[in-house]
Amino acid sequence: MNLAIQKEKEDLQLLEGIKDLLQESYQLSENEINLIMNRASENSEGYLVDYFAFVEPIQGICDGIRNTLEKHLKQVDKEENMVLKMVNEAAVWHAFESIRRYYKNQANLF
């Protein structure tokens, strides 16, 4: 694992939010904020390392969810009765979306 996670296209909205927080909390100039943000970006790499232990399990969960969807869709594909096939395919997508939304909502809790 490398620090590519952080360096991957940083979210401009996130950075602007942090800048706004600094401006509101400390009444800093734009230059001061930019200086702080540059140093913060460098320092965040040290903090980011603590999260690496969680990245692989999260990726495993995502892969497992996707693999389960594919398995279910393959099972549905074998159905010869068109009505049952449509019902089961809709059920598979419904289950997948329910799990995906649950997982996404859990990620947003912190």
Side-chain angles (χ1 to χ4, degrees):
M1 173 71 60
N2 61 29
L3 298 176
I5 294 170
Q6 182 183 12
K7 298 302 178 189
E8 237 181 59
K9 210 178 196 182
E10 289 197 27
D11 186 358
L12 186 60
Q13 189 175 17
L14 172 68
L15 295 177
E16 290 302 316
I18 295 170
K19 285 180 177 183
D20 290 345
L21 180 68
L22 288 171
Q23 177 62 38
E24 290 172 17
S25 299
Y26 301 103
Q27 290 80 42
L28 301 171
S29 71
E30 187 69 27
N31 286 340
E32 291 170 316
I33 290 173
N34 288 333
L35 253 169
I36 289 170
M37 291 300 293
N38 288 337
R39 289 190 63 198
S41 180
E42 294 168 10
N43 291 353
S44 71
E45 292 179 8
Y47 294 115
L48 192 58
V49 171
D50 291 338
Y51 293 93
F52 286 170
F54 304 105
V55 172
E56 191 173 325
I58 290 170
Q59 186 60 53
I61 290 169
C62 292
D63 290 346
I65 290 171
R66 179 61 63 181
N67 290 340
T68 301
L69 171 65
E70 289 174 12
K71 180 181 89 176
H72 289 160
L73 288 174
K74 285 179 185 175
Q75 288 172 345
V76 168
D77 245 8
K78 294 176 185 175
E79 181 61 58
E80 294 191 16
N81 180 310
M82 187 55 74
V83 173
L84 281 177
K85 185 175 185 172
M86 290 186 293
V87 167
N88 288 332
E89 186 170 354
V92 165
W93 280 107
H94 185 267
F96 171 77
E97 283 299 319
S98 296
I99 293 300
R100 190 187 67 76
R101 276 185 280 128
Y102 170 79
Y103 187 63
K104 195 173 178 180
N105 288 337
Q106 290 300 306
N108 287 325
L109 287 179
F110 49 88

